[in-house]
Amino acid sequence: MNTWSVLYDLCMGFGVTLKLFALTLVIAIPLGLLFAVLSMVKFKPVAYLMKVIIWIVRGTPLLLQCVVVTFIPSVLLKIPNKDFAAALGIETMADLQFVFVLAAFALNYACYFAVIYEGGIKAVPHGQYEAGQVLGMTKTQIFFRVVLMQMVRRIVSPMSNEVITLVKDTALARALSVIEIIAIAYEKVNKYAVLTPLLYAGLFYLAFSGLLTILFHLLDKKLSYYTV
């Protein structure tokens, strides 16, 4: 077994892992905030519908959600996956599978983030809202200028746990033929009949999770200014 060749291939696979990780966060972070707001609106039908969606997503396995998403075009929309890919400008079925996985991951984590956001918003003392009103601020101004940063300070720890969990959950993409680092590690294990590639893959995950832990710790210290 050529160790450097294996490490190079694992790096390529980890690039796909990082792509899935980053795009999931880019979509799920703002989408989760939208879900949180919708679940707290005074119009009860919308709030209840959003809570039911969040309950369903959080109560079912992510892998199952990935599989269900792949059947939406062909079963729900009655559009063959090949035609669906062409409509989106996607050239290969592998890229389409990645889009399906990304959609499932983004929806799943948006629902988890929504619950965290909601808890963070409700944890901000009501006096902060009243202070903003006394200053003549609108509800939007109060949220973005007064509440948001205090909420962010309160949700750093639970968000960091979910983000690190996302790093490991990306391995589920292998089940839908997305060639990420674990898929490549298994291919090398079968090819060379050794477990070393899986060990290397584990070290990639460990190093990245450690880096994220340090970054969230620094962010937590920086945001301590907003503690009330």
Side-chain angles (χ1 to χ4, degrees), residues 156 159-160 163 211-221:
V156 168
M159 285 289 285
S160 66
V163 171
L211 176 61
L212 289 175
T213 301
I214 294 172
L215 292 176
F216 273 110
H217 177 69
L218 294 175
L219 179 62
D220 187 50
K221 289 181 63 178

Side-chain angles (χ1 to χ4, degrees), residues 203-215:
L203 292 176
F204 273 91
Y205 281 110
L206 189 62
F208 188 52
S209 296
L211 176 61
L212 289 175
T213 301
I214 294 172
L215 292 176

Side-chain angles (χ1 to χ4, degrees), residues 2-21:
N2 187 327
T3 301
W4 292 112
S5 176
V6 170
L7 288 175
Y8 176 80
D9 289 341
L10 289 175
C11 284
M12 294 299 101
F14 197 60
V16 177
T17 295
L18 291 178
K19 181 180 177 181
L20 177 58
F21 169 82

